[in-house]
Amino acid sequence: MCELYSKQETLALRRKHIGPSCKVFFAADPIKIVRAQRQYMFDEKGDQYLDCINNVAHVGHCHPEVVKAAQKQMELLNTNSRFLHDNIVEYAKRLSATLPDRLSVCYFTNSGSEANDLALRLARQFRGHQDVITLDHAYHGHLSSLIEISPYKFQKGKDVKKEFVHVAPAPDTYRGKYREDHADPASAYADEVKKIIDEAHNSGRKIAAFIAESMQSCGGQIIPPAGYFQKVAEYVRGAGGVFIADEVQVGFGRVGKHFWSFQMFGEDFVPDIVTMGKPMGNGHPMACVVTTKEIAEAFSASGMEYFNTYGGNPVSSAVGLAVLDVIKNEDLQGNATRVGNYLTDLLNKQKTKHTLIGDIRGVGLFIGIDLVKDHQQRTPATAEAQHIIYKMKEKRVLLSADGPHRNVLKIKPPMCFTEEDAKFMVEQLDGILTGLEEATGAETESGISKNTPCRTKMPKEAQSELLRDSSLESRENPSQKRNGLCTDSLLSKRLRT
């Protein structure tokens, strides 16, 4: 392996030259990755890790066809997108063919954040409205305009919600306001949006857009109930706004049966604007906004030219075309369905065995494992989630935890993930959960009491990371004890596993 610096030197240089708010995975004991191939990553020692995190390397790390396409075009030409070139129009044509007919006009950018920022501009220009409805716990990007509509971010910082931003409850039927036992959770959650619209109108405000990921990722792998988006779109359009579907994390066939996640909800639901990014270039920075001709013409009528130097450049477009080819030629959508179903079945068997698992939810290769301390109260098992991801790292499996309480294990691997990979991942998870339950004396049949897992000792690095985050969250959320977060004193009393 070729390295410029030792791991410790790299860490020291990072601390010196990279902004302290730029975090790495497993911050207390980060992995130094030096190469990757398909669904595997390798550290400086040559140790192999199964990557269950990376929805960016969509068709697999360093896929030879994608690498070859980029190299071939780079040897020929790369320039800004104001020169006439075939690649950008060929890519726009092929991309549009994956979407409903009315979504046919493309604007290329370099990141999902840029795409969502542009989507807001399109929405606001369309009818001259300003206000945006977003979902609780949503994250749509790092630009100032997007932090403003991302409760996942602004609720953790010192920013306050802007008056033009309205936050609707996340349509979470496991932990949310209306759950799986509700007669019609889709209508109930959609009515919350209608209530927001009515209140905004009573205050003299006008709705420009409703924005949502087709499946919430940072919000905890949330899949909205069937019919929710249709009802919300009806209310928002009735108010003169548009519906923005954020597919930055969940698009390009990840759900298996459909190319776009919003298509899961039926042919009668078509967003007005779709944004995409991360998987689009398989690690190469490219993103896009696709909208209707009507919205695009309204944007053009403003008289302001839209120009993005690198968006849709010849190399990016060549990379994007190669990614589309690989998805089709290797039947990665079919793989997402087959392996996703197999993995979900394995995890549901684990759910019957381990009481820490409260819920398994997902579609294709987008799956969440909601960890709880007790099934009745559904108290988030935050400390246990941190313990598990560090223990999984020791087993050479890379997972992350997210959601409002950081208790949801996220599984969103490269699309070439196999059944053998799924089996290996679940075997490691099974062993770690068993160890946790044995250490705490929990009976898998009888359920885990609300406080029992908080007496389990975590790896030191996970403990320090949780203490840091818990300290932050306790300032933001005084009710953290009710949400099941372990306090410093409880952590110090953990048993050794």
Side-chain angles (χ1 to χ4, degrees), residues 430-471:
D430 181 25
I432 292 166
L433 288 170
T434 299
L436 258 177
E437 290 164 350
E438 288 176 351
T440 60
E443 293 293 333
T444 56
E445 300 86 8
S446 61
I448 300 176
S449 72
K450 189 183 299 185
N451 297 318
T452 295
C454 277
R455 298 198 300 270
T456 306
K457 187 172 178 62
M458 304 161 71
K460 286 184 179 179
E461 60 268 25
Q463 188 177 131
S464 63
E465 193 167 329
L466 182 70
L467 285 171
R468 183 188 67 241
D469 292 344
S470 294
S471 175

Side-chain angles (χ1 to χ4, degrees), residues 214-215 247 250-251 254-255 258-265:
S214 301
M215 299 187 292
E247 292 266 340
V250 296
R254 179 159 292 279
V255 296
H258 301 284
F259 200 82
W260 303 103
S261 294
F262 73 79
Q263 292 171 322
M264 294 189 305
F265 302 101

Side-chain angles (χ1 to χ4, degrees), residues 329-380:
N329 295 340
E330 297 186 6
D331 188 26
L332 293 184
Q333 279 186 252
N335 189 66
T337 296
R338 290 186 296 273
V339 178
N341 288 344
Y342 177 72
L343 176 54
T344 300
D345 287 345
L346 292 179
L347 290 171
N348 277 318
K349 289 175 183 175
Q350 293 297 308
K351 181 183 173 185
T352 65
K353 181 179 179 181
H354 299 291
T355 51
L356 269 171
I357 298 178
D359 190 35
I360 303 295
R361 51 182 178 262
V363 184
L365 287 174
F366 182 85
I367 300 170
I369 307 172
D370 199 312
L371 301 178
V372 298
K373 294 179 185 178
D374 70 84
H375 283 243
Q376 203 69 26
Q377 297 297 320
R378 302 183 179 182
T379 312

Side-chain angles (χ1 to χ4, degrees), residues 34 124 160 237 352 484:
V34 297
R124 285 168 169 156
V160 295
R237 288 167 182 157
T352 65

Side-chain angles (χ1 to χ4, degrees), residues 125-199:
Q125 178 63 33
F126 184 48
R127 294 245 165 78
H129 298 179
Q130 176 72 11
D131 289 23
V132 176
I133 302 173
T134 187
L135 293 177
D136 202 6
H137 315 307
Y139 174 66
H140 294 290
H142 62 81
L143 299 180
S144 296
S145 62
L146 304 173
I147 296 296
E148 290 173 346
I149 63 165
S150 297
Y152 179 82
K153 286 292 185 181
F154 73 66
Q155 289 177 350
K156 291 185 177 182
K158 295 180 180 178
D159 294 342
V160 295
K161 184 176 74 67
K162 303 295 192 293
E163 62 179 0
F164 58 81
V165 176
H166 310 275
V167 180
D172 179 357
T173 57
Y174 179 71
R175 193 183 296 286
K177 185 174 182 179
Y178 308 108
R179 299 187 175 185
E180 70 276 6
D181 57 354
H182 191 280
D184 187 0
S187 294
Y189 278 117
D191 286 346
E192 295 284 338
V193 176
K194 186 177 187 302
K195 190 186 304 180
I196 286 171
I197 293 171
D198 292 341
E199 290 173 354

